[in-house]
């Protein structure tokens, strides 16, 4: 009995393969985008965790200096003597060849086991590690870059992130020129119970408990949140398809259900059969989706890696490993999505009376009341979004604002469209035009899900596009200002640097030192740069967000400091606030500058003051101003006359091109996800139109009988689809702009600490409109061909008794 | 002569093979005349009506209306003919579901370029559907729908009205009432009427009666 019933139910799909394909494909695409994004996220997260556990030994308690950036050797000795089980670390940035490496000097003998990442191995290894010229433990990628530029032996460890190296502390001490100055101390987990307190032995250092989250993960969280939000959006768009298709398939099988039940199949068995059918479909679609998702993810991952590297300096391997967890989540999402979107249909089967006439159009009939309720809920959500944007704080609030905005706008769409169509219908006097609007309005309930999905996809495109373009334009303008010097040169060592300082001035307009030291300010590690504030390069080009009138004079005199926007926002600083720089040097803040794309804090002081307070600052890098026409000549002389390797002289154009390249790859990911989402929405539209075309004959037949040709009806059908797409597109533009505004002014500030001015690019919308138009035409093509070639007898059958 | 069918034949190709439905029909209809078309189920009455209405085209033969051969027209010409020269009333689905009753009634008249408010008002009054004007088709009963369909057809003042069992879905008394109104209205509009019906009682009410059998008029 059960088997016979199952065959009867399944025969439906055999007769409607396109419907089956729509259902499976819709769900697969939704799952694919979701699981693809999850795969990327999982990969990136895993690599941050690895990176930070290796580099920062974040699981361990650490001892750090209260002031300045070093702990004297003596303090360490004192602690060891008092019985503290601590291990010293010296770290700093070091240039090998052209590569900047974060050098972390450790003491293999006292290093706590839990610090991880580094295996002391056998004694012969240990001896090599601890003696000259030393060993660098690096990643595969870093090893390739360093090969040939250092005498130190390179040892590859899969746990190392790119751009960092472990070495022996003695070697780090000499390479970094930090005689007896330790960066921090690691505290082993195993300690004697009766230790004297830190305050009594070494009040000059502070205890830092293990952070629960790695720094870089915090920074990139927002990026992943963005990705997840996108994945979820695409998933929801896909569920619209599933909802519509399942609803139709159930409605079309009403007669079968009724027959089966009147033949004695209990309701529970029918439900069981239907649920099983849905679960099987969901499972199949889920597997297909996860596979597509894997492909999508592995295509996108190289760009994601480049994005994260570009934005945050976080390194992510650009190949994907298969994690069982996201297989499981992908499938679970597919199944949960199917259940959610078919719950209503299932419920209706359960509550279906045995004897009612079939209502093939009932599933479409979203009543006026329904549309009105939707309108009200949508409006409420928009108001909530506005209120949250005005009064709320925090990244999650930012995303809540986004969510309310998108959902509210989507819910309002059918109601607003319906109202507009009603007005158009009233204002038209020609019969055919009136009918056109009225008929379009009648299609709305059946198309509303697809239109809502389309709105979301288009708004996301407009919004993210605006954000990216604003970002790009601002960034490039900012690069032009920041990279004002024509040439950037780097000496290989201090003696060459001093030769350079003597050689350059006679051959250039001015020479701008680019020197920096790393240090801790207000508890954050940041870079302290020196600026030749007297030079017009700074006075004319350096973009300031706010500052005192005489900013540059005060910087030049060493009586002020500039801070970057992110540091300024994070610490809620104000002009005039005093800052204590490493070494106890206290200066007031005189200005704030924008520093896009830099996750870290940064401060700028006068170059003379920098050199005076931090005599050990490395003086290797310089910006050189020359008349632009002479730049190429000077570059040539720097290599041939002065003897610098060519790669140590970079001209501004190359540098800008490189920066731009990094930046452009940055947003390939969002672009790709945008395109996918639009694709899924287009597909939703296609399947809705196809569905509708099957039940439209009774609506079209009378008009045809009264003397409108099939060809004209088909043309009107195209116009109708285009009109709906156009209306949705027009609605999507303000929603998208609002989305961009929220991204730039709320989410970005909360996530990255800086705010971008929003710029508007109507040309981009035009391109999007053309793409959407193409998608619209594709989506109507199949239903249209059906209509244009329909036989008169099919239309005539509508009027006869046979229906 | 308003409409003449000359040696019209029509066949359908089905899975079982060729099905000859009409085999050389000759038939004339004068202006203002009302004719009942009867015949067994499946004898081809609807088919004949569709050919006369320019909804389908015959395999052979001529369908002459005001001197023009409808059978020789292309898709555009036939659409034009339907718009201007005929009014159709079917058994069901006559009305446009997205338009209210008022808009349905003036739809064909506007398409034909013969919209006449006075006449429309008179029709609505005589059909007794004043109260229904702002309703939608799905909110009407079958009899009400057919009355609106008749109003819609006559509002366009076509010289020829073709009706295919217009009351087939209605009960007898409602059906009789609707037919009564239709007859008197077509008469006062001066239109000719060709009506398919199964009921000899209804056929009696018309000027003339033709019977279709074996693919021929007998
Ligand atoms: N499109 C078609 N394809 C194949 N056969 C058709 C088609 N339309 C009608 N027929 C067949 O042509 C014959 C005549 O059909 P028609 O609808 O004209 O009959 P009818 O006289 O109107 O019958 P009824 O009184 O039942 O309405 C029937 O046998 C029908 O099955
Ligand atoms: Mg018939």
């Amino acid at each position: 009995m059960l088997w016979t019933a199952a065959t009867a139910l399944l025969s439906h799909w055999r007769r409607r393969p396109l419907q089956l394909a729509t259902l499976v494909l819709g769900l697969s695409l939704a799952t694919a985008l979701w699981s693809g994004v999850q795969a990327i996220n999982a990969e990136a997260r895993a690599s941050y965790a690895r990176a930070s556990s290796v580099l920062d030994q974040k699981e361990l308690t650490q001892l750090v200096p209260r002031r300045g950036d070093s702990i004297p050797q003596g303090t360490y000795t004192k602690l060891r003597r008092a019985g503290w089980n601590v291990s010293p670390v010296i770290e700093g940035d070091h240039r090998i060849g052209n590569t900047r490496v974060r050098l972390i000097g450790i003491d293999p003998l006292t290093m706590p086991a839990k610090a991880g990442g580094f295996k002391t191995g056998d004694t012969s290894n240990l001896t090599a590690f601890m003696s000259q010229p030393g060993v660098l433990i690096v990643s595969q990628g870093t090893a390739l870059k360093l090969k040939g530029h250092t005498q130190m032996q390179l040892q590859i460890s899969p746990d190392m992130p790119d751009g960092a190296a472990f070495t022996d502390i003695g070697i780090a001490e000499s390479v970094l020129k930090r005689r007896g100055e330790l960066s921090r101390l690691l505290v082993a987990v195993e300690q004697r119970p009766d230790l004297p307190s830190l305050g009594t032995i070494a009040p000059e250092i502070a205890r830092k408990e293990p952070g629960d989250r790695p720094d870089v993960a915090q920074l990139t969280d927002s990026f992943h949140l963005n990705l997840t939000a996108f994945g979820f959006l695409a998933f929801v768009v896909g569920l619209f398809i599933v909802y519509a298709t399942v609803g139709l398939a159930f409605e079309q099988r009403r007669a079968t259900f009724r027959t089966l039940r009147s033949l004695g199949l209990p309701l529970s068995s029918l439900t069981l059969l239907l649920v099983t059918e849905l679960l099987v479909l969901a499972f199949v679609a889920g597997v297909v989706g996860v596979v597509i998702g894997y492909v999508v993810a592995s295509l996108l991952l190289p760009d994601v890696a480049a994005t994260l590297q570009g934005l945050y300096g976080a390194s992510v391997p650009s190949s994907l490993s298969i994690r069982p967890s996201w297989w499981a989540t992908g499938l679970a999402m597919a199944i949960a999505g199917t259940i959610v979107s078919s719950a209503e249909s299932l419920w209706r089967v359960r509550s279906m009376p045995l004897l009612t006439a079939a209502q093939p159009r009932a599933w479409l009939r979203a009543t006026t009341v329904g549309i009105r309720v939707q309108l009200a809920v949508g409006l409420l959500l928009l108001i909530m979004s506005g209120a949250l944007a005005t009064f709320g704080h925090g990244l999650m609030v930012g995303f809540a604002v986004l969510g309310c905005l998108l959902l509210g706008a989507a819910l309002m769409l059918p109601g607003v469209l319906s109202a507009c169509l009603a007005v158009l219908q009233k204002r038209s006097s020609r019969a055919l035009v009136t009918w056109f609007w009225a008929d379009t309005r009648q299609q709305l309930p059946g198309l509303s899900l697809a239109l809502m999905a389309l709105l979301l996809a288009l708004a996301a495109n407009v919004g993210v596009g605006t954000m990216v373009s604003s970002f790009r334009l601002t960034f490039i303008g900012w690069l032009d200002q920041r990279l004002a010097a024509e040439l950037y040169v780097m000496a290989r060592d201090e003696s060459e640097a001093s030769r350079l300082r003597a050689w350059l001035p006679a051959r250039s307009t001015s020479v701008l030192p680019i020197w920096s030291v790393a240090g801790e300010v207000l508890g954050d590690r940041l870079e302290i740069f020196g600026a030749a504030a007297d030079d017009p390069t700074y006075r004319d080009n350096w973009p300031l967000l706010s500052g005192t009138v005489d900013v540059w004079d005060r910087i030049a005199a060493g009586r002020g400091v500039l801070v970057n926007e992110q540091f300024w926002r994070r610490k809620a600083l104000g002009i005039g606030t005093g800052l204590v720089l490493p070494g106890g040097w206290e200066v007031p803040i005189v200005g704030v500058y924008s520093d896009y794309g830099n996750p870290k804090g940064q401060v700028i002081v006068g170059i003379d003051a920098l050199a005076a307070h931090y005599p050990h600052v490395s003086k290797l890098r310089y910006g050189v101003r020359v008349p632009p026409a002479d730049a190429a000549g000077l570059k040539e002389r720097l290599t041939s006359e002065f003897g610098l390797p060519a790669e140590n002289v970079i001209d501004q154009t190359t540098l800008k091109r490189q920066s731009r390249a990094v930046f452009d790859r940055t947003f390939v990911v969002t672009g790709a996800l945008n395109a996918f989402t639009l694709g899924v929405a287009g597909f939703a539209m296609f399947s809705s139109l196809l569905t509708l075309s099957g039940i439209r004959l009774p609506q079209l037949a009378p008009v045809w009988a009264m003397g409108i040709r099939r060809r004209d009806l088909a043309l009107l059908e195209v116009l109708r689809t285009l009109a709906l797409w156009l209306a949705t597109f027009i609605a999507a533009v303000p929603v998208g702009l609002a989305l961009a505004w929220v991204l730039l002014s709320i989410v970005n500030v909360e996530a990255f600490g800086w705010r971008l001015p929003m710029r508007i690019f109507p040309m981009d919308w035009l391109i999007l409109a053309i793409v959407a138009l193409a998608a619209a035409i594709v989506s109507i093509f199949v239903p249209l061909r059906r209509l244009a070639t329909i036989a008169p007898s099919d239309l005539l059958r509508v009027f006869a008794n046979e229906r | 002569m308003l409409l003449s069918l000359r040696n019209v034949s029509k066949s359908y190709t089905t899975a079982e093979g060729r099905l000859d439905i009409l085999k050389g029909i000759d038939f004339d209809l004068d202006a203002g005349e009302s004719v009942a078309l009867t015949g067994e189920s499946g004898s081809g009455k609807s088919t004949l009506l569709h050919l006369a209405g320019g909804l389908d085209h015959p395999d052979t033969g001529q369908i002459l209306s005001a001197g023009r051969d409808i059978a020789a027209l292309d898709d555009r010409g036939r659409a034009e003919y339907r718009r201007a020269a005929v009014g159709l009333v079917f058994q069901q689905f006559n009305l446009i579901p997205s338009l209210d009753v008022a808009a349905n009634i003036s739809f064909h008249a506007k398409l034909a370029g013969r919209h006449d408010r006075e006449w429309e008002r008179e029709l609505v009054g005589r059909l007794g559907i004043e109260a229904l004007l702002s309703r939608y088709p799905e909110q009407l009963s079958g009899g009400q729908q057919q009355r609106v369909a008749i109003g819609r057809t006559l509002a366009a003042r076509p010289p020829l009205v073709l009706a295919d069992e217009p009351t087939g879905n209605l009960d007898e008394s409602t059906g009789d009432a609707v037919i009564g109104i239709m007859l008197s209205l077509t008469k006062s509009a001066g239109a000719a009427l060709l009506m398919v019906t199964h009921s000899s009682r209804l056929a009696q009410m018309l000027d003339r009666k033709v019977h279709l059998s074996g693919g021929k008029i007998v």
Side-chain angles (χ1 to χ4, degrees), chain A residues 698-699 701-703 705-706 798-799, chain B residues 87-97 104 107 137 142 145-150 152-153 162-167:
Chain A
Q699 296 160 10
V703 185
M706 276 181 273
V798 169
F799 303 116
Chain B
L88 296 152
V89 185
F90 298 104
Q91 199 165 5
Q92 58 177 359
F93 288 114
N94 280 294
L95 303 177
I96 297 169
N104 260 294
F107 187 78
Q145 285 191 15
Q146 288 309 72
R147 273 187 282 161
V148 174
I150 290 162
R152 197 265 324 270
T153 303
L162 301 171
D164 193 350
E165 296 182 66
T167 57

Side-chain angles (χ1 to χ4, degrees), chain B residues 127-160:
Chain B
L127 286 163
I129 49 174
E130 299 98 327
L132 310 177
L133 288 180
S134 57
R135 293 217 207 153
Y136 283 85
E138 61 175 20
Q139 301 167 316
L140 301 179
S141 73
Q144 289 171 330
Q145 285 191 15
Q146 288 309 72
R147 273 187 282 161
V148 174
I150 290 162
R152 197 265 324 270
T153 303
L154 293 173
R157 287 184 182 279
L160 171 64

Side-chain angles (χ1 to χ4, degrees), chain A residues 443-459:
Chain A
Q443 305 305 308
L444 270 187
L447 287 177
S448 65
L449 284 171
L451 287 172
M452 283 156 72
L454 188 65
L455 179 83
L456 292 183
L458 287 173

Side-chain angles (χ1 to χ4, degrees), chain B:
Chain B
M1 200 70 61
L2 181 68
L3 179 76
S4 312
L5 273 65
R6 294 276 166 270
N7 194 26
V8 168
S9 56
K10 174 81 180 172
S11 61
Y12 290 112
T13 327
T14 60
E16 296 94 58
R18 217 172 99 117
L19 213 65
D20 289 314
I21 308 298
L22 303 179
K23 306 168 182 165
I25 298 280
D26 287 301
F27 171 72
D28 292 309
L29 186 68
D30 282 323
E33 190 186 17
S34 64
V35 175
L37 179 59
T38 57
E40 302 209 330
S41 180
S43 57
K45 304 180 297 291
S46 297
T47 306
L48 178 63
L49 206 72
H50 294 158
L51 293 177
L55 294 163
D56 211 344
H57 50 111
D59 299 340
T60 60
Q62 291 179 310
I63 300 168
L64 301 166
S65 160
R68 276 194 309 173
D69 184 6
I70 309 307
L73 292 176
D74 62 357
D75 208 34
R76 170 196 289 268
R78 278 205 306 277
E80 167 80 44
Y81 169 71
R82 292 200 298 274
R83 214 178 315 147
V86 283
L88 296 152
V89 185
F90 298 104
Q91 199 165 5
Q92 58 177 359
F93 288 114
N94 280 294
L95 303 177
I96 297 169
S98 53
L99 296 178
D100 63 11
V101 168
N104 260 294
I105 288 180
S106 50
F107 187 78
H108 195 173
K110 283 183 174 173
L111 277 188
R114 289 197 288 261
H115 188 215
D116 176 349
R117 264 173 220 289
E118 275 312 305
W119 171 233
E120 206 175 279
R121 199 164 303 144
E122 190 189 330
L123 275 175
V124 166
R126 287 175 65 182
L127 286 163
I129 49 174
E130 299 98 327
L132 310 177
L133 288 180
S134 57
R135 293 217 207 153
Y136 283 85
E138 61 175 20
Q139 301 167 316
L140 301 179
S141 73
Q144 289 171 330
Q145 285 191 15
Q146 288 309 72
R147 273 187 282 161
V148 174
I150 290 162
R152 197 265 324 270
T153 303
L154 293 173
R157 287 184 182 279
L160 171 64
V161 174
L162 301 171
D164 193 350
E165 296 182 66
T167 57
N169 274 347
L170 306 180
D171 65 75
E172 196 170 286
S173 66
T174 318
D176 284 2
V178 169
I179 293 293
I181 302 172
M182 178 156 88
L183 282 176
S184 79
L185 281 175
T186 26
K187 275 277 178 284
S188 54
L193 172 68
L194 177 60
M195 180 170 89
V196 174
T197 178
H198 276 290
S199 146
S200 50
R201 196 172 36 79
L202 290 181
Q204 225 70 88
M205 298 161 78
L206 275 65
D207 298 346
R208 189 153 65 92
K209 191 173 131 180
V210 291
H211 189 76
L212 191 61
S213 177
K216 302 239 181 215
I217 299 271
V218 293

